[in-house]
Amino acid sequence: MAQTGSLLHFSDHQYLRQRLVLSILSGKAVRIDKIRSDDKNPGLRDYEVSLLRLLEKATNGTVIEISVTGTAILLKPGIIAGGSVSHDCPLSRSVGYFLEPLIMLAPFAKRPFQLSLRGITTDDNDLSADLVRTVTLPHLQLFGISDGLELRIKKRGSPPEGGGEVQFLCPVVKQVKTLNFVEPGKIKRIRGIAHAVRVNPQFSNRMIDASRSVLNRYIPDIYLYSDVYKGEESGKSPGYALSLLAESTTSAIQCSEAVSKPGVTPEEIALTATHTLLSEIRRGGCVDRKHQNLVLLMMVLGSEDVGRCRMCEPSARTIQFLRDIKSFFGTSFKIVPAEPSDPSSTQLLFSCYGTGYINVNRSLA
Amino acid sequence: MENHIHKAHRPAQSGSKAEKKGKGKQQQAFNEKAFAPKSGRRAERQGRRNVERDQTRLHVPLVNRTPDDEPPPVIVAIVGPPGVGKTTLLKSLVRRYAKQTLHEVKGPVTVISGKRRRLTFIECNNDLNSMIDIGKVADLVLLMIDGSYGFEMETFEFLNILQSHGFPKVIGVLSHLDLIKKQATLSATKKALKKRFWTEIYQGAKLFYLSGVLNGRYPDTEILNLSRFISVMKFRPLVFRNSHPYLLADRLEDLTPREIIRASKGKCDRTVTLYGYLRGTNLRLSTKVHVPGVGDMDIKSITILGDPCPLPDADAEKRRKLSEKKKLLVHAPMSDVGGVVYDKDAVWVNVPGSFTRGNTDVYQGEGEQMVMDLQDVDATLEDTVARRQIRLLGSSSNHLTVDAPGILSGDEDEDQGSGMDDDGVGDEAESEEGGEEDNLSEDGDESPNDDLPGITDRGRFGLRMVSRPTHNLASTSEHKGGRVEYADSDSDIGHLDQDDWEGGVMYPDGDNAQDIPSDDEESDGAPAWKAGLAAKAEASFENSSRRRSRKDWISLIYSSALTPEQIAQGDSNASHEISSDDADDDFFRIRPATLVNGDDLDMTKELVSPDSLKEWEDEALLDSIRALFITGEQAAPEKDTAEENEYEDSAGGDFEDLEAEPSQPPAVEDPEAKRTADLAAKKELLKRKFDEQYDDPEDAKIDFYDEKKEEINRQLQLNRAEFEGIHAEARALVEGYRPGSYVRIELSNVPCEMIENFDPSYPIILGGLLPAEERFGYIQVRIKRHRWFAKTLKTNDPLIFSLGWRRFQSVPIYSLDDHSIRMRMLKYTPEHMHCYATFYGPVALPNSGFCAFNSLNGETTAFRVSATGVVLDIDRSAKIVKKIKLTGVPFKIYKNTAFIKDMFNSALEVAKFEGANVKTVSGIRGQVKKALTKPDGAFRATFEDKVLMSDIIFLRAWYSIQPRKYYNPVTSLLLSDKAHWAGMRLTGQVRREEGLKTPLNVNSHYRPVERSARRFNTLKVPKKLQAALPYASKPKLMKPQGRRTYIQKRAVVLEPEEKKAIALLQQIRALRKDQLARRKEKQHERKEVHRKKVEKEEANKDEKEKEKRKDYMRAAGMKSKREADLEEGRSRKKRRT
């Protein structure tokens, strides 16, 4: 099917995921070359190939061509099929790496997604399954994607052996609502999940205590759960982590997470997580820094109205994402300081005019 | 006079009047019983009815994307069969609104109809393609019907087209009613036509009656009534148009260079501009457009032009009546309004009578004025510019010099092409120059051996500006404080002589101010204009330093070449002193190639450095964010003032620095005022809460419908407010070109036939496509053959679809859902039933309606809309199957096992079907087991019972089929004869035209079936077995009875009485027979007479029928003659003018 007239060119292996996602959503074919061409070990990594496989499973009619050296790919997107898809993730990246692009695609599929991914559920690089469940999904709910949206953590799996399993359920929408979120509010509650698998269960309690020692001064509404998975459900490797989230009066969420490292005490892990959370809170904004991309994407895909969102300063990923959105959808954002009268605030107000993206894949039959 | 007392009225005290009055009063009084429900049940029913009535009023709230201020003109299409009076109606309506008579109407005509409304009239010709296109864009249809003739097929076809593409408002107009002479016939005709019209549209649809034609127009009063109806008409947004931008072109120009056309003998692709009002949603530059009848195209550029037919402005609004001058405005570039006709490559000025220059008492139209102005010019443009002192900016001290002619031509081009106000161009030029200048001067200072020695030469600015005219379009601009700044508009020229200039300037990153002084220090031989710069910049640095920490994110992200990492990094050290390496990362720098690391992972979490978290061990810092929690709220004001200074010096880094300056002034100056303000705010909140709780809870509660409407309104208001006041071009980049604006759209690579065969009577529409609609796929639709279409539709016969903006031919496969298990192919569409169809074509949104045609030609008299339906699903593969039955015969039979042959050809095929169900004709079920080695393709199968050698074994299977990938857009606008587009023909048509015979498969022949009676051998039970069987099971063989029976043995002899009785009976029977025969004969005679009578009557009736038909044909003939006359009259008229 050579009807996709427009072909976009990119180079470099960075930001591969977001470009693939935007390509599939916009229907524009994309060619990415010079993938680690200067590297000692050139070409796509195993997890990138695995992601491409997953995208091929989740779509219908997608054509992916990888060059012989693996340094260039061509993606001609098909339609997002959805349905039940299961995928074994390689152990080099956690489940979050694969889940993130799929979350962006899932609401626009033909059938509701039932995606089950096996591999590492928590690691240092990507959003852990806990964060996806407690932070990412509430961010999707801002756009009217809520009924039947769920992430089940069947088994936990820590690096290096993994062995975890998550199941992601996502409904299908016709069109996402636009966002108008400019009031960050004040933090009203803090929640956290401390989990420890294949180590002393006391570790999670130690993490909770350490974290509370810092957080207790702010608000009383703090619940840090100790999540215990035993036996089969606890994966193949030992590990523990603490993920924290702070919710404001307007239900703006900030989050942080720290994962066990060899030679570091649980208390130190907990303090890292807590301090990261505090710096996130200080940065402020209506959405979490790690979820800027998701929110901006949904704003662009929203109805043909003005969407506004207050955020902290964009990260490098977000900046590239904004540029990519411009090349895929032709939409640019208006970015102004959120409080022009107050020069101290670094928060920005992102506003854009939605493209009125309608889920064409959704069938009526 | 005033104090004169009138005689009081004395009502009648008696008599009939007095009685009546009393009664009347009693009747008028409110009778509670009459309105109160009689019973509880009745009360309930009444209440329910009221609620239901309220509900029927409601409709789904829809967002109206058309702006309320400055809406685009309403498209009023005049549709009807030829000769019905469409042009006359259009002329009459234009005359009513614009007080002008159009001689020849071509293309759309826009007039102003009121303070808030403009109308675009367009006449639709009788071509089906035009009707389809018009049906997709018209807001209001004036459906003209010949009253003396009745409805014609085209009218019904048009209504069906409307129905499948969202129904716009329709007003019926009956014309030619003056031809019906008899009053009774007239009223009967009106009644009949109205009834039919109502069943087509809805009960109570508006139908207008136009009587005769006076002075080439319809009577003024009738037109006035019609125009009143048009002007108050409200429109509900249609879903399709509310999600697509579109434009009805009222002007078309070919911009292709003449030389290229000449060189290619007119066959090259053209660059074409279309002009018109945007409608629907916002049109973005990146959207692809479809021109129905031509094809998909990319927009090359869009320019907003001045409104050629503007709504009356506020000043006219103050006056109650529209001024006559405004009323006279009519915009119809394709027609001859104002004596000016815009042709393809010329403008014709029509001069009435004899014309002399300087004769002022004759009214001079637009065209005459234009020509005279041109004649008045005594100097060339270059001279004029040289003489005038044009300044680029209002503030610049020196005027432009003309040593580079490029500047003039460039400017001229801009002005002519875009028609933009000079302001916009000036702005662009300024910013362009500024950016360039800035950049170059820096380059020049740091590397003196740059290849551009003449950077300070002012004559070159113009040249550069021309060389990159599109650069600025791509850059977004930032709005602040009521004026526009472009990203790189930190113009040094502006600083030159205006001190308050930088008040509005925003630096993209604060290094400019820093740079300039440093330049100055090492400046060697800087030009004179730079001399005062340093001092100015120094002063402005103080002003702008406060703003340094804030970056212009838009330009950083969208129009700088910095890598995201650099931008993101920049925000962490924004407050630091600008280091030297930061200064040199200017816009045009080669990207560092060695940024990419091997382990540079694409990861969501950011690496947190333990050092950055160390600061959180500080108690003061921990306390500083207390205000961000709900519990910290009360303590915040005091704490802020008290503790701020405390931690200011202790904590280093960016955060603190940002915090320092700004928060101090308010904190120091009025803690008291702030407290009172807080208190007031809190009181207000409490009051509102109280009000909500105790004041009228019903009032505060609004129902779902109102809530939704309010939500929509709020969002619309926000949409308006968010980008208000930004410069139009910049705004267009962010949100697209808004509906209601008059634009010029440039398309490149347009087929030359569109220009060469351009005919203004065929509408040109530019429909914007959603990103999804550019793609192709298999479209599954629910379809129903139109009940007026004579033939059934056959799978794989080409069909012309009108779907979305497009008209195209494709090859559908019809199917039906078979028990929700499979989609089963149908050879033909079912009668009176929906079925599915799947075809290959451009994607359309699910739920959009379509109609289909077998042919678009006007020759057929039959109904042409062959099917209608709705899109259900889009996919890249189709899942349609058709049934296939494999047959085989047994060649060896064991008990319940049989060996079957002739079903497959190889063991491999058998392996594929192992476990499949098979069945005999007699209904014995079985299963395929395993392939046999010996005859190739034979297999073993087991059955539930023993099969016979004579049985045929069936295997029912499903074969999946894909629709053919055939898509053929209807390119009717490219033809010289636009009504005769021919697509792929049907197979039958091809065979007929080529004189080919249908190939016949021998096996498909129907031959008489010979069924020989089956003979079964007699069942023989062995004697031994018989003996062993119980009696009930023993075969009982009966022999025929040999002996005669009792009755047979007896002889019968009659008695004499009996003989007599029998004879008598015989005689009576004979008499009766004779009687019946006679009666029958009589009846026959009577019947003969009756038949003759009936025959006579029949003959009479036929005669009458013939007479009637003759009358009808005479009327039709007269009509066609009148039409021909009208045509002739038109051409005669044309010749005369």
Side-chain angles (χ1 to χ4, degrees), chain B residues 1069-1085:
Chain B
R1069 267 196 216 108
L1071 276 175
R1072 175 70 183 158
K1073 222 175 179 177
D1074 183 47
Q1075 196 181 11
L1076 278 178
R1078 266 184 288 129
R1079 202 182 277 168
K1080 208 169 183 181
E1081 204 176 324
K1082 273 255 176 78
Q1083 205 170 16
H1084 188 70
E1085 271 167 27

Side-chain angles (χ1 to χ4, degrees), chain A residues 44-116:
Chain A
L44 292 168
R45 295 275 180 275
D46 60 340
Y47 54 86
E48 283 160 349
V49 174
S50 174
L51 176 69
L52 289 173
R53 274 187 215 289
L54 174 60
L55 289 179
E56 200 168 20
K57 266 188 231 173
T59 55
N60 182 14
T62 302
V63 177
I64 298 172
E65 286 168 21
I66 303 176
S67 68
V68 184
T69 51
T71 53
I73 56 170
L74 172 69
L75 179 91
K76 286 181 192 162
I79 61 149
I80 309 166
S84 84
V85 177
S86 76
H87 186 70
D88 284 313
C89 307
L91 294 175
S92 42
R93 291 306 282 264
S94 79
V95 157
Y97 178 83
F98 301 91
L99 210 45
E100 223 179 307
L102 264 295
I103 284 174
M104 291 175 175
L105 297 179
F108 306 102
K110 185 179 285 297
R111 289 179 297 276
F113 248 105
Q114 291 163 321
L115 174 71
S116 85

Side-chain angles (χ1 to χ4, degrees), chain A residues 295-323:
Chain A
V295 171
L296 291 174
L297 176 70
M298 291 297 167
M299 276 164 73
V300 167
L301 296 182
S303 59
E304 278 197 76
D305 289 312
V306 168
R308 298 192 300 166
C309 186
R310 182 171 162 161
M311 294 185 191
C312 59
E313 294 191 338
S315 58
R317 273 177 75 231
T318 312
I319 290 167
Q320 186 57 45
F321 191 67
L322 288 172
R323 287 177 176 177

Side-chain angles (χ1 to χ4, degrees), chain A residues 1 3-4 6 12-17 24 26-27 36 39 45 47 60-61 77-79 93 97 100 110 123-128 131 178 180 185-188 190 214 217-220 249 257 259 272 275-276 278-279 281-282 289-290 303-308 313-317 319-320 322-323 326 329-337 339-340 342-346 348-349 351-355 358-365, chain B residues 63 65 242-243 281-282 284 286 474 476 478-480 546 549-551 553-554 556-558 560-565 567-568 571 591 593 596-608 613 615-617 619 621-623 625-631 633 654-655 658-659 662-663 715-716 718-719 722-723 726 733-735 770-772 774-778 780 782 836 840 843-847 871-877 965:
Chain A
M1 270 174 236
Q3 67 277 349
T4 38
S6 44
D12 205 355
H13 69 280
Q14 279 194 309
Y15 315 113
L16 175 78
R17 283 188 295 171
I24 290 174
S26 69
R36 297 191 187 89
D39 204 279
R45 295 275 180 275
Y47 54 86
N60 182 14
I79 61 149
R93 291 306 282 264
Y97 178 83
E100 223 179 307
K110 185 179 285 297
D123 81 345
D124 252 340
N125 297 326
D126 300 295
L127 294 179
S128 70
L131 282 189
T178 194
N180 216 329
K186 291 188 184 293
I187 305 295
K188 68 171 180 189
I190 292 177
V214 180
R217 73 177 67 204
Y218 295 115
I219 41 172
T249 45
E257 189 176 46
V259 184
T272 312
H275 289 159
T276 320
L278 290 180
S279 40
I281 289 173
R282 187 176 63 181
R289 199 168 143 83
K290 300 177 199 67
S303 59
E304 278 197 76
D305 289 312
V306 168
R308 298 192 300 166
E313 294 191 338
S315 58
R317 273 177 75 231
I319 290 167
Q320 186 57 45
L322 288 172
R323 287 177 176 177
K326 177 125 174 46
F329 286 101
T331 301
S332 52
F333 277 80
K334 177 182 149 192
I335 306 166
V336 291
E339 288 168 34
D342 177 15
S344 70
S345 99
T346 56
L348 301 169
L349 192 64
S351 54
C352 78
Y353 200 82
T355 52
I358 298 168
N359 185 2
V360 207
N361 305 328
R362 199 178 65 115
S363 79
L364 293 174
Chain B
V63 190
R65 301 276 173 210
N242 220 7
S243 53
T281 55
N282 293 4
R284 286 152 212 262
S286 58
T476 48
E478 151 90 328
H479 175 258
K480 190 170 174 17
R546 196 180 302 155
S549 62
R550 193 161 291 164
K551 300 193 281 187
W553 281 99
I554 302 180
L556 271 181
I557 291 173
Y558 291 121
S560 80
L562 296 175
T563 60
E565 286 80 11
I567 298 172
D571 89 273
R591 216 178 117 219
V596 180
N597 276 331
D599 59 341
D600 206 356
L601 293 168
D602 178 14
M603 56 193 205
T604 312
K605 276 188 200 167
E606 283 154 357
L607 292 173
V608 283
L613 295 180
E615 63 181 13
W616 287 105
E617 276 154 33
E619 278 298 309
L621 189 55
L622 284 176
D623 281 338
I625 62 163
R626 229 170 242 273
L628 298 174
F629 292 83
I630 39 169
T631 45
E633 204 166 26
D654 50 346
F655 171 66
L658 296 176
E659 187 86 339
S663 63
Q715 185 65 50
L716 280 179
L718 180 71
N719 293 354
E722 184 67 21
F723 299 110
I726 303 185
L733 278 176
V734 181
E735 60 164 3
L770 302 181
E774 296 168 21
R775 307 165 75 189
F776 282 73
Y778 291 112
Q780 193 191 64
R782 190 189 295 129
Y836 297 105
Y840 177 78
V843 165
L845 293 183
N847 222 359
V871 176
L872 296 177
D873 193 17
I874 311 298
D875 213 332
R876 286 304 173 84
S877 53
K965 278 191 181 170

Side-chain angles (χ1 to χ4, degrees), chain B residues 459-487:
Chain B
R460 299 201 54 160
F461 294 166
L463 271 177
R464 249 171 248 125
M465 179 196 74
V466 179
S467 67
R468 306 187 310 165
T470 49
H471 171 78
N472 255 342
L473 289 175
S475 73
T476 48
S477 77
E478 151 90 328
H479 175 258
K480 190 170 174 17
R483 49 153 305 179
V484 186
E485 305 109 15
Y486 276 89

